[in-house]
Amino acid sequence: MAATPKKKRTAGRILAVGAGLATVGALVVALPAGASGTKGDRDGQGHGYGRYADVQLLSFNDLHGNLEPPTGSAGRVTHTNEDGTTKTIDAGGVEYLATHLRQARQDNPYSVTAAAGDMIGASPLVSGLFQDEPTVEAMNRLKLDVSSVGNHEFDEGARELARMQNGGCHPTAGCFEEGKRFKGANFPYLAANVTDEKSGRPMLDPYFIWERNGVKVGFIGVTLEGTGGVVSAEGIKGLKFGDEIETINKYTKVLERKGVKSIVALLHEGGMPASGSYNYNCDSPGPGDGISGPIVDIAKKVSPQVDALVTGHTHQAYACTIPDPSGKPRTVTSAASFGKLYTDTTLTYDRRSKDIVRTAVSSANHVVTRDVPKAQDMTRLIDRWKTLAAPIASRPVGYISGDVDNPIDAPERPLGNLIADAQLEGMAPADKGGAQLALMNPGGVRAPLVHKASAGEGDGVVTYGEAYTVQPFTNMMTAVDLTGAQLITALQQQVSGPNQAAPKILQVSKGFTYTLDMTKTGADRIVTSSVKLNGDAIDPAKTYRVAMNEFLAGGGDGFPVLKEHKNKLVGASDLDLFTGYLGAHSSASAPLAPPATGRITVVK
C-alpha cells in the first residue's frame, strides 16, 4: 500500500462487529562507506538515486484529542540542564505541532509520519463532544501516514472505531455540522493483534507499506494485549487481543515474504524511564539501562528484523536503545503525551539490501514549543468546532481558589481526592446507594483544574468544558457491596499482578486511609493493619458500601476483585457528580480550596 499524499488510505478489512529542544538516543553512528552526502538519496556524491536514502520517521503518541494546548502541568515538559538543575517548558497544541512537523519535513524527500495509538479517547470537550471527529480531521490535515490503535480507540467500541476509519455520521447523534458528512481517517489504523474470536481475522489492517521512489518501509501496528481489561467490555464483545510479541514477529515474516525488509513496529505499550525529564539519557550506563516496564521485555523478544519500535501508553518521554534478541541495540521511542513532543528518527535505507542500516539509526525527542507561528489551518479548525461547543463549554459550574493539580507520578493527587469526595457525596444518600467510601481509578482523571482563566471566563472559574476535560468518559456511577477482605484485596491489586510493574493507585475519599510501603514488593506494599475508615480498622468480615464508576466495578485497570461486588445500584454519571459537587461547595465569593493530601501515607 503506497503512501500518496492525496489519495485516501483506509483499512481494507473491517469486521462487522459491535523545531524545539531535543534529546537524542542514538545507536553508534557509523554510516556505511560512501553514505555521506545530501539529505535523502545519497550516492556519496550528493546526486541521483544513490545506494542509501535517509528516511525521516516523525512520530508521536497519546494525543488524546488535545487540539488546544493542554493546561497546567499537563501542558509542560521538564528539561534537565547540564548542571543538573531543571526547568519546565510549556508545550503542546496542534497549531504548534503542525508547524513543528511541517518545518521538520522541509528538504526531507523521504519523510513519513506515524503514531502509536490513543490519538482519540479521553479527549477535551472541543473534540470529545463531537465523538473525536475534530481530532481525526486534524490528523488528516497533519498528513499523518499511519497509526496503530491504542486502548482508547476502543472507548466507544469497535463499531465506532470502524466509523472513525471509514467515515459516516454518528448512528444516534447524526452529523454534527449541517450539510457535512464525516469523511473518516485518511490514514490507516493498524490493529494486527485485534482479531475476531471466531474467525481469527484482524479487525483492521495489520500492516501498512509506505513506499517512495522504490524505498519501502513496513509498519506493523498493535495495541497492548491487556486492552480488554482497560476498556468497557460491552464495546469489544467478540474481539480478542493477542500477544504483542507473537503478533509483531508473525507479520514481520509476512512483510519479509513480500520483499519488505525495513520494518517499524507501532506499539501501544510502553515503559518508565528513571527520570521524568524528556532529555534524560536512558542509555546510561549501557543501552536501555535507564528504562523499565513492559516495553523492555517486549523489545528484547521482538524479531531483530524490526528496525525500530515506536511506543506509547505510559505517557513517558524516552529515546532509548534496548538490545534485540541478538543483543544488538535497537531504537525504542515514546513522545510523552498530549502532543507535547514529537520524535524525529533517521532510518538509513540501503537500496541493495532493502533494509535499514541499524548502526546508523538515530532518534531525538523534540519539544513542541509554543514560540513558533500557529498553523492557521489548525486555528480555523479549532475555532470552527469551538463555536459549535461554546454554548455548552462556557457555562460556569464552580469556582476554585487555586490550581487543583493532578501529578501523574504521585500516588495521591489533590484532584483525585476532590473527585472521590464528589463521588462519595453523590452516592452517600440512602436512596442514591448509601456509599461509605469512594474509589476512583487514576487513569480516569485526565487533566488538572487550573485557576488562571483560559478563555475569558475569569480566574478561578471552572467551566463545564474544563470539568469535561477532567472527566471525559461520562462513566455511570455505582454503589456496591464489598467485604472488608475484598476491599483490602483491591488495594493490594494496585501494586501486584498486572499492576506490579506500573502501580495504579486508586484515589480515595475523605476518611479512608492506609499506608503504602514502597520499600516492599507486590501485595506486601499494602500495610493491611493501617487500612481504616473514619479511624476504625477495616473488618475483613464486614460489608461496606463503596462508590465507584462502572469501569472499575467491571474489574477494569487490573482490579478483578471488584467484579465480585453485590447489590449494585447505578446512579448519575461521574461528570454530573463532579459538576454538582463543585456547584454545591463553591461560589464566586467562596471558592473551593484544593483538597489536602495525606489519605495515603507513603513509605519510601
Side-chain angles (χ1 to χ4, degrees), residues 73-74 76-78 271-278 313-317 336-337 340 405-414 442-443 445 501-505 507 516 518 525 597 600 602 604:
S73 59
R76 303 188 191 106
V77 295
T78 301
M272 301 295 294
S275 167
S277 293
Y278 81 91
H313 189 55
T314 56
H315 290 202
Q316 301 297 309
S337 63
K340 293 178 289 189
D405 215 347
N406 182 45
I408 62 173
D409 295 328
E412 183 183 356
R413 314 174 190 178
V445 187
K504 289 187 174 70
I505 306 302
Q507 305 298 285
L516 179 67
M518 297 304 289
R525 287 178 166 177
T597 55
I600 304 173
V602 181
K604 298 182 179 180

Side-chain angles (χ1 to χ4, degrees), residues 373-433:
K374 295 180 179 180
Q376 291 304 303
D377 57 333
M378 293 299 181
T379 302
R380 290 190 295 270
L381 182 151
I382 293 170
D383 288 347
R384 196 177 88 238
W385 289 103
K386 283 181 69 174
T387 299
L388 287 175
I392 298 173
S394 60
R395 176 169 60 88
V397 296
Y399 303 84
I400 53 176
S401 63
D403 290 351
V404 187
D405 215 347
N406 182 45
I408 62 173
D409 295 328
E412 183 183 356
R413 314 174 190 178
L415 187 52
N417 287 351
L418 175 59
I419 289 171
D421 289 348
Q423 294 178 351
L424 174 59
E425 182 171 295
M427 301 298 288
D431 63 339
K432 302 295 184 183

Side-chain angles (χ1 to χ4, degrees), residues 45-176:
Q45 318 231 348
H47 59 267
Y49 287 163
R51 175 174 174 178
Y52 300 103
D54 284 341
V55 177
Q56 178 191 56
L57 172 60
L58 302 176
S59 59
F60 55 100
N61 51 276
D62 296 277
L63 180 67
H64 290 290
N66 277 264
L67 301 181
E68 297 182 277
T71 58
S73 59
R76 303 188 191 106
V77 295
T78 301
H79 176 89
T80 298
N81 301 313
E82 289 186 5
D83 62 2
T85 60
T86 61
K87 64 178 180 180
T88 59
I89 305 168
D90 291 338
V94 295
E95 294 160 296
Y96 303 110
L97 176 62
T99 297
H100 279 282
L101 291 180
R102 289 165 184 172
Q103 289 178 347
R105 291 176 187 139
Q106 291 178 2
D107 302 321
N108 282 282
Y110 298 95
S111 184
V112 56
T113 304
D118 279 7
M119 294 296 98
I120 59 175
S123 303
L125 185 137
V126 72
S127 186
L129 189 63
F130 306 107
Q131 298 295 128
D132 273 319
E133 290 182 16
T135 295
V136 173
E137 181 184 345
M139 294 303 97
N140 289 344
R141 292 179 180 271
L142 209 59
K143 303 296 184 186
L144 181 62
D145 287 291
V146 60
S147 178
S148 68
V149 295
N151 53 290
H152 282 283
E153 266 78 20
F154 291 93
D155 282 347
E156 299 287 333
R159 287 186 181 275
E160 180 64 0
L161 174 55
R163 190 180 74 88
M164 291 292 99
Q165 179 71 88
N166 290 336
C169 295
H170 192 270
T172 56
C175 297
F176 295 113

Side-chain angles (χ1 to χ4, degrees), residues 1-4 40-42 48-57 109-112 208-219 259-263 307 347-357:
M1 194 181 299
T4 55
D41 281 296
R42 293 179 282 117
Y49 287 163
R51 175 174 174 178
Y52 300 103
D54 284 341
V55 177
Q56 178 191 56
L57 172 60
Y110 298 95
S111 184
V112 56
F208 165 74
I209 302 172
W210 179 89
E211 182 177 3
R212 187 157 299 165
N213 297 329
V215 174
K216 294 182 180 180
V217 180
F219 291 87
V260 179
K261 297 181 180 180
S262 300
I263 300 170
D307 298 295
L347 303 171
T348 297
Y349 183 89
D350 185 340
R351 290 182 183 275
R352 292 183 190 173
S353 67
K354 298 182 180 179
D355 207 348
I356 299 300
V357 182

